[in-house]
Amino acid sequence: MKTCIITGAGSGIGREVAISLSRTADFTNIALLGRNMKTLSETKSMMESMYKDISLWDINFQEPEKIPAVIESVFEKYGAIDCLLNIAGYTDPQPLLQTTLESMENTYKVNVFSPFMLMKETVRYMKKTGGKILNVASTAGMTPRPGWLSYSSSKASVISMSQTLTEELAEYGIKVYCVSPGRCATKLRKRLAPNEDPSTIMQPDEVAEVICNLISQSGNCLDGQNIVIRKQISKK
């Protein structure tokens, strides 16, 4: 009776991961966290729920201070937390002189502070049994991305946090994974590159397949790395 928490399941990569996991025997309980109950409900309707307990939890990740109460409630409902998937993301791409402090704070609340709080609160329970944490960063956090200051720097923080916690949490039997997708046809990518044809780039289900493989029983040797996921586009 294992429990997995997924953020960002209302669309894109998070939705595809939730659907894929519902079709496996890896987790009996799946908790979907987010602020848009409509899109989370749509995701739930796409999942295989016959032998699953799928629950929705209302949380705005721009309010990370509310996360402890939600995680406590998830634990009280299921009695264990075995896996955390930090997939939710936010972006407001602006160059330096147009980036406001409010925009920077909002980006970091969703992309850095909320994953931090989610990891901190789940580890309180997970350290007794071991488990897995996977954070979704981005190739934007690895190389300079002019005009994307808040987003790219926040994803660099996710990579660093993941690598640090890999060693810090090893004593509890907790493995920490980090994936950095390249160009992927999500709503967030549309904000970063509005003129891009989404059919020409990587699709969310392709990233989801990698994530599900990592948190399966066979993914035990790939923690501690920043795993880049890219699709090679053929040039005609």
Side-chain angles (χ1 to χ4, degrees):
M1 301 286 287
K2 289 191 173 184
T3 300
C4 180
I5 295 174
I6 308 175
T7 74
S11 64
I13 296 170
R15 170 173 284 180
E16 294 298 330
V17 168
I19 293 170
S20 295
L21 286 185
S22 73
R23 296 170 179 164
T24 74
D26 292 331
F27 301 99
T28 305
N29 311 313
I30 301 177
L32 308 181
L33 275 59
R35 67 174 180 172
N36 191 328
M37 291 294 101
K38 180 177 183 295
T39 58
L40 287 183
S41 296
E42 291 170 353
T43 298
K44 181 178 179 179
S45 69
M46 301 174 188
M47 298 168 69
E48 300 289 342
S49 58
M50 184 175 295
Y51 301 107
K52 306 286 185 184
D53 187 333
I54 302 168
S55 58
L56 310 182
W57 302 82
D58 188 3
I59 176 71
N60 183 347
F61 292 121
Q62 289 190 0
E63 300 175 317
E65 67 275 6
K66 295 184 178 180
I67 287 173
V70 173
I71 297 303
E72 182 179 13
S73 296
V74 173
F75 180 79
E76 288 177 351
K77 177 177 176 63
Y78 295 122
I81 298 175
D82 304 281
C83 184
L84 168 66
L85 305 181
N86 281 317
I87 304 176
Y90 174 83
T91 187
D92 180 21
Q94 301 288 344
L96 174 62
L97 296 182
Q98 279 71 54
T99 299
T100 64
L101 179 59
E102 180 183 16
S103 174
M104 200 78 170
E105 288 176 339
N106 287 339
T107 303
Y108 269 68
K109 283 178 180 178
V110 177
N111 294 355
V112 181
F113 301 153
S114 282
F116 156 71
M117 287 299 295
L118 285 159
M119 289 188 286
K120 181 178 180 180
E121 296 306 313
T122 56
V123 165
R124 292 186 191 278
Y125 306 106
M126 197 181 289
K127 71 178 185 179
K128 301 174 183 177
T129 57
K132 293 187 175 183
I133 296 171
L134 184 141
N135 298 317
V136 174
S138 169
T139 53
M142 300 164 54
T143 56
R145 300 296 172 95
W148 298 3
L149 178 63
S150 59
Y151 180 73
S152 59
S153 62
S154 72
K155 290 303 184 178
S157 295
V158 172
I159 295 170
S160 179
M161 280 198 302
S162 302
Q163 293 174 335
T164 298
L165 292 177
T166 294
E167 296 192 17
E168 182 174 326
L169 301 181
E171 65 175 295
Y172 303 122
I174 298 173
K175 294 184 177 294
V176 182
Y177 301 82
C178 182
V179 298
S180 287
R183 297 182 297 166
C184 184
T186 62
K187 290 181 179 179
L188 187 147
R189 176 67 190 182
K190 193 68 175 177
R191 293 192 68 185
L192 291 169
N195 298 321
E196 185 175 58
D197 181 355
S199 67
T200 65
I201 59 177
M202 186 165 59
Q203 299 301 303
D205 64 303
E206 295 176 291
V207 179
E209 182 179 0
V210 176
I211 291 174
C212 291
N213 285 336
L214 285 173
I215 62 171
S216 70
Q217 295 301 316
S218 61
N220 289 330
C221 296
L222 293 170
D223 54 308
Q225 306 174 48
N226 178 33
I227 302 169
V228 176
I229 308 173
R230 281 196 180 103
K231 182 176 182 179
Q232 298 299 324
I233 307 298
S234 61
K235 297 180 180 180
K236 298 181 180 180

